[in-house]
Amino acid sequence: MSLRDALAIPSSQITDEAVYRERRRLLAAFALTPALGLSGCAEAEPPAPRSLPAASPEQMKAGFRTDEVLTRYEDITTYNNFYEFGTDKSDPSRAERTLRTSPWTVAVGGACAKPGKLSLEDLIKGLAPQERIYRLRCVEGWSMVIPWLGVPLADVLKRFEPTSKAKYVAFTTLADRKQMPGLAYPSINWPYREGLRIDEAMHPLTLLATGLYGKSLPQQNGAPLRLVVPWKYGFKSIKSIIAITFVERRPLTSWNDLQPSEYGFFSNVNPSVDHPRWSQKTERRIAGTGSKLFVDRIPTRLFNGYGDQVASLYAGMSLRLWF
Ligand SMILES: Nc1nc2c(c(=O)[nH]1)N[C@H]1C(S)=C(S)[C@@H](COP(=O)(O)O)O[C@H]1N2
Ligand SMILES: [Mo]
């Protein structure tokens, strides 16, 4: 693994003291020696730890970290939903590495003063990658605990100076048949699209992830850039983003468009609002050891356990009506 991989940012950006210290901390946390990182040798890596050094009380309070057992790297990277690479959980990790993640361009436009088409490097320039350990709850009833690397979406969006007409933010995934074999099947009306209300997009928990477990994102997890919204069902966390658009009206989103009675626009995790075809009261946590993928069923929590941080966004709204 290269040092760039370990940091999920270009080495040209490792300039200031803060980034340097963050780098040292990440390397230490994931027990990667700089020597191993720099040599790029093929030595087997030590298994990644299942928990990380204790977070500060501030990080815990903000929801940026959890001390739950981490899902194994191999499970996070082989049990995936990424229909652009097939609809089975194992399809995305088994697919050929056809996604060209560099150069990668993101078009940011719509209701903002400074629209632009930027390289990924320029999009996140100067923003130090932060480590966030989040629960991910899929609408299908399973969940993981994932150590992401990324930058707050708000820090990126502010650079484009959204106007007062920017009430929502729309996101689009790449849709290229040559790079994504799943596009040959009409499982979804391609491209995959998602959206957030502007206050959700600007919330400090909302992350643009560039890595996980201290390495850059693998193809199957949405390389090189994906959204992570930990209090919403996993399908809101759109992968391999090529466009971000500020809009005045609620944008079309793929799962809501496909089956509006089953997948709402908000899709906040909520154990009291069942999916029409199954209960959402519990979830199967993927945190097993050995050949075991799941641990026992655990209760699902309102807003996926991030209520202290996000409940105020929905004050006065019926969560049943606006599911
Ligand atoms: N473009 C795109 N983004 C997507 C999906 C997809 O099929 N295509 N699946 C979603 C679903 S249903 C989930 S649960 C998460 C899974 O992310 P992971 O595979 O990294 O765990 O990605 C979401 N983002
Ligand atoms: Mo999902």
Side-chain angles (χ1 to χ4, degrees), residues 80-84 136 138 173 192 221 226 234-235 237 239:
N80 298 102
N81 276 333
F82 198 175
Y83 281 17
E84 286 85 339
L136 177 94
C138 175
T173 295
Y192 194 103
N221 293 92
R226 60 94 53 90
F235 64 83
S237 293
K239 295 177 169 181

Side-chain angles (χ1 to χ4, degrees), residues 36-87:
L36 175 65
L38 285 167
S39 71
C41 69
E43 251 170 61
E45 288 169 38
R50 302 294 298 278
S51 65
L52 290 171
S56 70
E58 291 75 27
Q59 287 173 308
M60 295 295 280
K61 192 155 182 277
F64 294 168
R65 291 278 298 262
T66 166
D67 48 22
E68 289 154 279
V69 172
L70 302 180
T71 302
R72 286 178 295 202
Y73 182 78
E74 69 233 58
D75 294 335
I76 297 171
T77 56
T78 56
Y79 190 93
N80 298 102
N81 276 333
F82 198 175
Y83 281 17
E84 286 85 339
F85 291 94
T87 52

